[in-house]
Amino acid sequence: MKDKKNDVIIIGAGVVGNAIARELSRYNIKVSVLEKELDVVCETSGRNSGVLHAGFNNKPGTLMAKFCVEGNIGFDKIAKELDIPFKRVGKLVTGFTKEDIQGLKELKERGEKNNVLGLEIISREEIKKLAPNVEGKAALYSKMTGILDPFIYTIALAENACENGVKFYLDREVLNIKRIDNYYEITTNKETFYSRWVINSAGLNSDKIARMVGIKDYTIHPCRGEYFILDKRAGSLLEIPAYPVPNKKEGGLGIHLTPSIHGNIFIGPSAQYIDENDNYSSTNDIMDMLINEGKKILPEIKKEHFIRNFSGIRPKLVDKEKGGYGDFVIEERNEIPNMINLIGIESPGLTSAVPIGKYVVEKIKEKESLKENKEFNPVRKSILKFSEQSEKKQEELIEKNPNYGEIVCRCETITKEEILQAINNPLGIDTVTGIKYRTRAMMGRCQGGYCQTRITELIMNEKNKDVKEIIYSRKYGNMFSGRVR
Ligand SMILES: Cc1cc2nc3c(=O)[nH]c(=O)nc-3n(C[C@H](O)[C@H](O)[C@H](O)COP(=O)(O)OP(=O)(O)OC[C@H]3O[C@@H](n4cnc5c(N)ncnc54)[C@H](O)[C@@H]3O)c2cc1C
């Protein structure tokens, strides 16, 4: 019981929960994060475009607009502290028709109201200078937009929070919450936790968590977005995200093409309201539609470039009939004191995570003073990427540690040493996708065909596990039922 008594419990270890955890680790309080999955980036935070938005899509005066702009401006510092890859590549919203051009002007005006810097309407000739393969009669060019790796970012926030004293409890699904006197009793699939504060950052389940304490007026409407990933061989076709003018009634920003920070290209996402909040299927009709829409902006793309598809689900507060976007809800209700609910944290939630974290801390500080953690260290180190080092440095690394001389993932050039460091990560995660998200092994053209079994062997050896215990990603996702030979 003593160990499970906290000042703050955060439900959900996505990018937002982890950013809140990191902000809270700046203070001398006991904070724990409860996550139902076996890793910290299993839901929406790893299933998106990986774009650091500038803030011109959001309605002026909303929390979305405010936090997006703040998150964008502050990101260089965060990326440096957390040692994560990030590039401010800019973005093009391309228009073809008269209505589109009007739409571009409206977006620019909106952005300027939100204090977005560096927005320009540019001609076809200027589009071609920035992105020779992109089509459009005119475009809105946003120089502040960036790209990042959403897996590494979410993991880095959690690792830094953990290094600063926050406890992460994985495989803890919150099943019930009860207020007893001046604290909360939180029942999970394993033990029961106690806390003076509860932060509901459960993404697609945030409405269900709110209902556990009697807040019934929020409903999340899951809206799926499907994507294609193109091989790095096609990466040189596009170095700057290219979007169409968004349709105001739709649940997303339209089918766009986004270069990933690692040199792939994403096409998507679609926007389709669905009934279940965990149905990550990819469907034939949408796949065909993605190809057609993607080709309108980037005619050069070919089917042979496609290496994988995936989908993410937007936790929308607006239903299909209303369409468009709501605003982030981040509130504490008088009748449920010391519980902050974060609901409808859809796009631009990745961009906004740190400002959201700071806002939540301010809400707590309105009610009690927090003592500064003098030992807080904002710096976290990433696993050194062998493939990005100079030849000389690579030789030195191999000389000192022969594990750098053994390439495990050939497509992405990931060494045994990088895999071993990932297996021994600060959060103690040892699923196969856990290693994939931390190193990019299995994310290349062969999608793990060559290295996946080698990686499972390394997990077995390092963690002293039986083959039957190796889990791909989710609970009960055991990969093997025994040895074949
Ligand atoms: C298709 C798509 C594209 C997007 N593109 C962008 C983009 O380019 N840029 C951008 O800024 N934003 C983008 N977003 C939005 C962004 O991804 C989200 O706003 C953000 O990831 C939300 O983070 P989160 O931590 O709130 O949610 P999540 O990542 O879903 O985290 C919530 C966590 O809570 C856990 N949980 C749920 N229920 C329980 C329970 N009962 N007990 C314990 N744990 C629980 C879940 O397992 C999960 O790990 C996009 C979203 C989608 C779907």
Side-chain angles (χ1 to χ4, degrees), residues 12 14 16 35-36 44-45 48 51 174 205 227 345-346 349-351:
V16 176
E35 167 55 53
K36 72 175 165 57
T44 316
S45 298
N48 53 57
V51 172
V174 172
N205 281 342
Y227 290 88
I345 313 295
E346 56 163 315
L350 186 70
T351 310

Side-chain angles (χ1 to χ4, degrees), residues 11-17 34-37 39-53 172-175 201-206 209 212 223-225 227 243 256 269-270 312-315 328 345-352:
I11 305 170
V15 71
V16 176
L34 309 183
E35 167 55 53
K36 72 175 165 57
E37 297 299 328
D39 198 351
V40 298
V41 61
C42 290
E43 306 283 1
T44 316
S45 298
R47 298 168 167 274
N48 53 57
S49 303
V51 172
L52 187 86
H53 288 301
R172 301 309 197 284
E173 180 173 1
V174 172
L175 302 173
S201 184
L204 289 156
N205 281 342
S206 55
I209 299 285
M212 289 178 191
C223 178
R224 187 169 60 208
Y227 290 88
Y243 284 58
H256 45 266
S270 49
I313 304 178
R314 304 169 181 88
F328 296 149
I345 313 295
E346 56 163 315
S347 189
L350 186 70
T351 310
S352 310

Side-chain angles (χ1 to χ4, degrees), residues 109-167:
E109 264 171 43
R110 187 174 253 215
E112 282 164 355
K113 277 194 191 141
N114 292 343
N115 297 320
V116 177
L117 303 171
L119 293 175
E120 267 180 80
I121 305 272
I122 61 170
S123 65
R124 183 182 160 78
E125 290 68 42
E126 287 165 306
I127 297 176
K128 291 285 170 191
K129 272 189 215 151
L130 285 166
N133 297 310
V134 169
E135 288 304 324
K137 279 202 170 140
L140 174 67
Y141 171 59
S142 155
K143 93 171 181 211
M144 292 301 280
T145 305
I147 49 174
L148 59 118
D149 178 332
F151 294 110
I152 293 291
Y153 178 38
T154 305
I155 289 165
L157 286 166
E159 287 186 357
N160 189 238
C162 173
E163 282 156 359
N164 283 301
V166 173
K167 286 218 159 147

